[in-house]
PDB file of all heavy atoms in Angstrom:
ATOM      1  N   ASP A  40      -0.280   2.170 -12.875  1.00 98.00           N
ATOM      2  CA  ASP A  40      -1.375   1.322 -12.437  1.00 98.00           C
ATOM      3  C   ASP A  40      -1.073   0.779 -11.000  1.00 98.00           C
ATOM      4  O   ASP A  40      -1.938   0.870 -10.170  1.00 98.00           O
ATOM      5  CB  ASP A  40      -1.536   0.173 -13.402  1.00 98.00           C
ATOM      6  CG  ASP A  40      -2.723  -0.745 -13.015  1.00 98.00           C
ATOM      7  OD1 ASP A  40      -3.865  -0.251 -13.033  1.00 98.00           O
ATOM      8  OD2 ASP A  40      -2.503  -1.932 -12.651  1.00 98.00           O
ATOM      9  N   MET A  41       0.104   0.348 -10.762  1.00 96.00           N
ATOM     10  CA  MET A  41       0.441  -0.127  -9.434  1.00 96.00           C
ATOM     11  C   MET A  41       0.360   0.934  -8.383  1.00 96.00           C
ATOM     12  O   MET A  41      -0.152   0.739  -7.276  1.00 96.00           O
ATOM     13  CB  MET A  41       1.910  -0.731  -9.444  1.00 96.00           C
ATOM     14  CG  MET A  41       2.029  -2.069 -10.158  1.00 96.00           C
ATOM     15  SD  MET A  41       3.783  -2.572 -10.329  1.00 96.00           S
ATOM     16  CE  MET A  41       4.161  -2.916  -8.643  1.00 96.00           C
ATOM     17  N   SER A  42       0.824   2.168  -8.787  1.00 96.00           N
ATOM     18  CA  SER A  42       0.770   3.329  -7.824  1.00 96.00           C
ATOM     19  C   SER A  42      -0.668   3.536  -7.432  1.00 96.00           C
ATOM     20  O   SER A  42      -0.982   3.806  -6.263  1.00 96.00           O
ATOM     21  CB  SER A  42       1.338   4.535  -8.481  1.00 96.00           C
ATOM     22  OG  SER A  42       2.685   4.333  -8.787  1.00 96.00           O
ATOM     23  N   PHE A  43      -1.656   3.579  -8.384  1.00 97.00           N
ATOM     24  CA  PHE A  43      -3.003   3.843  -8.072  1.00 97.00           C
ATOM     25  C   PHE A  43      -3.598   2.712  -7.246  1.00 97.00           C
ATOM     26  O   PHE A  43      -4.390   2.966  -6.317  1.00 97.00           O
ATOM     27  CB  PHE A  43      -3.827   4.025  -9.365  1.00 97.00           C
ATOM     28  CG  PHE A  43      -3.521   5.334 -10.032  1.00 97.00           C
ATOM     29  CD1 PHE A  43      -3.024   5.389 -11.304  1.00 97.00           C
ATOM     30  CD2 PHE A  43      -3.872   6.573  -9.357  1.00 97.00           C
ATOM     31  CE1 PHE A  43      -2.780   6.648 -11.896  1.00 97.00           C
ATOM     32  CE2 PHE A  43      -3.605   7.776  -9.980  1.00 97.00           C
ATOM     33  CZ  PHE A  43      -3.068   7.822 -11.252  1.00 97.00           C
ATOM     34  N   ARG A  44      -3.213   1.485  -7.521  1.00 97.00           N
ATOM     35  CA  ARG A  44      -3.719   0.321  -6.721  1.00 97.00           C
ATOM     36  C   ARG A  44      -3.258   0.433  -5.276  1.00 97.00           C
ATOM     37  O   ARG A  44      -4.007   0.163  -4.369  1.00 97.00           O
ATOM     38  CB  ARG A  44      -3.287  -0.984  -7.333  1.00 97.00           C
ATOM     39  CG  ARG A  44      -4.063  -1.278  -8.619  1.00 97.00           C
ATOM     40  CD  ARG A  44      -3.548  -2.555  -9.205  1.00 97.00           C
ATOM     41  NE  ARG A  44      -4.040  -2.786 -10.542  1.00 97.00           N
ATOM     42  CZ  ARG A  44      -4.389  -3.909 -11.009  1.00 97.00           C
ATOM     43  NH1 ARG A  44      -4.304  -5.052 -10.299  1.00 97.00           N
ATOM     44  NH2 ARG A  44      -4.796  -4.081 -12.280  1.00 97.00           N
ATOM     45  N   PHE A  45      -1.963   0.784  -5.107  1.00 96.00           N
ATOM     46  CA  PHE A  45      -1.463   0.934  -3.729  1.00 96.00           C
ATOM     47  C   PHE A  45      -2.103   2.038  -3.017  1.00 96.00           C
ATOM     48  O   PHE A  45      -2.504   1.910  -1.826  1.00 96.00           O
ATOM     49  CB  PHE A  45       0.034   1.128  -3.772  1.00 96.00           C
ATOM     50  CG  PHE A  45       0.858  -0.127  -4.002  1.00 96.00           C
ATOM     51  CD1 PHE A  45       1.836  -0.138  -5.054  1.00 96.00           C
ATOM     52  CD2 PHE A  45       0.663  -1.253  -3.317  1.00 96.00           C
ATOM     53  CE1 PHE A  45       2.547  -1.283  -5.328  1.00 96.00           C
ATOM     54  CE2 PHE A  45       1.407  -2.455  -3.614  1.00 96.00           C
ATOM     55  CZ  PHE A  45       2.350  -2.445  -4.600  1.00 96.00           C
ATOM     56  N   ALA A  46      -2.318   3.165  -3.714  1.00 97.00           N
ATOM     57  CA  ALA A  46      -2.977   4.346  -3.060  1.00 97.00           C
ATOM     58  C   ALA A  46      -4.438   4.007  -2.717  1.00 97.00           C
ATOM     59  O   ALA A  46      -4.927   4.331  -1.619  1.00 97.00           O
ATOM     60  CB  ALA A  46      -2.927   5.530  -4.022  1.00 97.00           C
ATOM     61  N   GLU A  47      -5.056   3.214  -3.559  1.00 97.00           N
ATOM     62  CA  GLU A  47      -6.470   2.819  -3.320  1.00 97.00           C
ATOM     63  C   GLU A  47      -6.552   1.896  -2.060  1.00 97.00           C
ATOM     64  O   GLU A  47      -7.403   2.035  -1.209  1.00 97.00           O
ATOM     65  CB  GLU A  47      -7.058   2.070  -4.516  1.00 97.00           C
ATOM     66  CG  GLU A  47      -8.468   1.598  -4.298  1.00 97.00           C
ATOM     67  CD  GLU A  47      -9.018   0.880  -5.552  1.00 97.00           C
ATOM     68  OE1 GLU A  47      -8.192   0.316  -6.354  1.00 97.00           O
ATOM     69  OE2 GLU A  47     -10.249   0.856  -5.718  1.00 97.00           O
ATOM     70  N   MET A  48      -5.596   0.982  -1.929  1.00 96.00           N
ATOM     71  CA  MET A  48      -5.535   0.094  -0.805  1.00 96.00           C
ATOM     72  C   MET A  48      -5.287   0.860   0.498  1.00 96.00           C
ATOM     73  O   MET A  48      -5.869   0.649   1.536  1.00 96.00           O
ATOM     74  CB  MET A  48      -4.460  -0.979  -0.997  1.00 96.00           C
ATOM     75  CG  MET A  48      -4.356  -1.966   0.159  1.00 96.00           C
ATOM     76  SD  MET A  48      -5.908  -2.844   0.554  1.00 96.00           S
ATOM     77  CE  MET A  48      -6.024  -3.904  -0.872  1.00 96.00           C
ATOM     78  N   LEU A  49      -4.304   1.852   0.480  1.00 95.00           N
ATOM     79  CA  LEU A  49      -4.034   2.686   1.610  1.00 95.00           C
ATOM     80  C   LEU A  49      -5.265   3.466   2.033  1.00 95.00           C
ATOM     81  O   LEU A  49      -5.585   3.524   3.216  1.00 95.00           O
ATOM     82  CB  LEU A  49      -2.868   3.665   1.344  1.00 95.00           C
ATOM     83  CG  LEU A  49      -1.523   3.027   1.458  1.00 95.00           C
ATOM     84  CD1 LEU A  49      -0.476   4.022   0.933  1.00 95.00           C
ATOM     85  CD2 LEU A  49      -1.210   2.677   2.915  1.00 95.00           C
ATOM     86  N   ALA A  50      -6.005   4.031   1.064  1.00 96.00           N
ATOM     87  CA  ALA A  50      -7.209   4.789   1.418  1.00 96.00           C
ATOM     88  C   ALA A  50      -8.252   3.887   2.056  1.00 96.00           C
ATOM     89  O   ALA A  50      -8.908   4.333   3.017  1.00 96.00           O
ATOM     90  CB  ALA A  50      -7.753   5.421   0.111  1.00 96.00           C
ATOM     91  N   LYS A  51      -8.373   2.708   1.552  1.00 95.00           N
ATOM     92  CA  LYS A  51      -9.335   1.716   2.089  1.00 95.00           C
ATOM     93  C   LYS A  51      -9.014   1.410   3.548  1.00 95.00           C
ATOM     94  O   LYS A  51      -9.867   1.427   4.431  1.00 95.00           O
ATOM     95  CB  LYS A  51      -9.314   0.465   1.233  1.00 95.00           C
ATOM     96  CG  LYS A  51     -10.314  -0.555   1.624  1.00 95.00           C
ATOM     97  CD  LYS A  51     -10.247  -1.722   0.618  1.00 95.00           C
ATOM     98  CE  LYS A  51     -11.117  -2.876   1.005  1.00 95.00           C
ATOM     99  NZ  LYS A  51     -10.983  -4.027   0.039  1.00 95.00           N
ATOM    100  N   ILE A  52      -7.741   1.155   3.850  1.00 94.00           N
ATOM    101  CA  ILE A  52      -7.274   0.791   5.189  1.00 94.00           C
ATOM    102  C   ILE A  52      -7.457   2.023   6.141  1.00 94.00           C
ATOM    103  O   ILE A  52      -7.919   1.842   7.233  1.00 94.00           O
ATOM    104  CB  ILE A  52      -5.852   0.348   5.210  1.00 94.00           C
ATOM    105  CG1 ILE A  52      -5.748  -0.997   4.464  1.00 94.00           C
ATOM    106  CG2 ILE A  52      -5.203   0.293   6.566  1.00 94.00           C
ATOM    107  CD1 ILE A  52      -4.299  -1.456   4.145  1.00 94.00           C
ATOM    108  N   GLU A  53      -7.072   3.220   5.615  1.00 93.00           N
ATOM    109  CA  GLU A  53      -7.170   4.404   6.482  1.00 93.00           C
ATOM    110  C   GLU A  53      -8.638   4.644   6.772  1.00 93.00           C
ATOM    111  O   GLU A  53      -9.000   5.102   7.949  1.00 93.00           O
ATOM    112  CB  GLU A  53      -6.558   5.589   5.821  1.00 93.00           C
ATOM    113  CG  GLU A  53      -5.016   5.542   5.820  1.00 93.00           C
ATOM    114  CD  GLU A  53      -4.363   6.632   5.044  1.00 93.00           C
ATOM    115  OE1 GLU A  53      -5.073   7.352   4.264  1.00 93.00           O
ATOM    116  OE2 GLU A  53      -3.149   6.789   5.147  1.00 93.00           O
ATOM    117  N   SER A  54      -9.532   4.470   5.808  1.00 90.00           N
ATOM    118  CA  SER A  54     -10.977   4.688   6.006  1.00 90.00           C
ATOM    119  C   SER A  54     -11.509   3.778   7.159  1.00 90.00           C
ATOM    120  O   SER A  54     -12.295   4.174   7.997  1.00 90.00           O
ATOM    121  CB  SER A  54     -11.714   4.488   4.715  1.00 90.00           C
ATOM    122  OG  SER A  54     -13.091   4.574   4.899  1.00 90.00           O
ATOM    123  N   ARG A  55     -11.130   2.553   7.006  1.00 89.00           N
ATOM    124  CA  ARG A  55     -11.520   1.520   8.049  1.00 89.00           C
ATOM    125  C   ARG A  55     -11.013   1.938   9.451  1.00 89.00           C
ATOM    126  O   ARG A  55     -11.784   1.772  10.400  1.00 89.00           O
ATOM    127  CB  ARG A  55     -11.057   0.197   7.615  1.00 89.00           C
ATOM    128  CG  ARG A  55     -11.897  -0.939   8.063  1.00 89.00           C
ATOM    129  CD  ARG A  55     -11.499  -2.281   7.560  1.00 89.00           C
ATOM    130  NE  ARG A  55     -10.797  -2.136   6.296  1.00 89.00           N
ATOM    131  CZ  ARG A  55     -10.128  -3.102   5.664  1.00 89.00           C
ATOM    132  NH1 ARG A  55     -10.067  -4.273   6.188  1.00 89.00           N
ATOM    133  NH2 ARG A  55      -9.530  -2.911   4.537  1.00 89.00           N
ATOM    134  N   GLU A  56      -9.761   2.330   9.541  1.00 84.00           N
ATOM    135  CA  GLU A  56      -9.184   2.750  10.820  1.00 84.00           C
ATOM    136  C   GLU A  56      -9.945   3.939  11.351  1.00 84.00           C
ATOM    137  O   GLU A  56     -10.207   4.033  12.569  1.00 84.00           O
ATOM    138  CB  GLU A  56      -7.729   3.082  10.647  1.00 84.00           C
ATOM    139  CG  GLU A  56      -6.858   1.879  10.395  1.00 84.00           C
ATOM    140  CD  GLU A  56      -5.384   2.196  10.208  1.00 84.00           C
ATOM    141  OE1 GLU A  56      -5.067   3.412  10.005  1.00 84.00           O
ATOM    142  OE2 GLU A  56      -4.630   1.285  10.192  1.00 84.00           O
TER     143      GLU A  56
END
Side-chain angles (χ1 to χ4, degrees):
D40 184 65
M41 288 174 66
S42 298
F43 287 118
R44 289 178 191 217
F45 285 127
E47 181 181 22
M48 181 57 71
L49 279 171
K51 183 178 178 181
I52 291 169
E53 288 175 347
S54 174
R55 208 171 335 166
E56 288 175 351

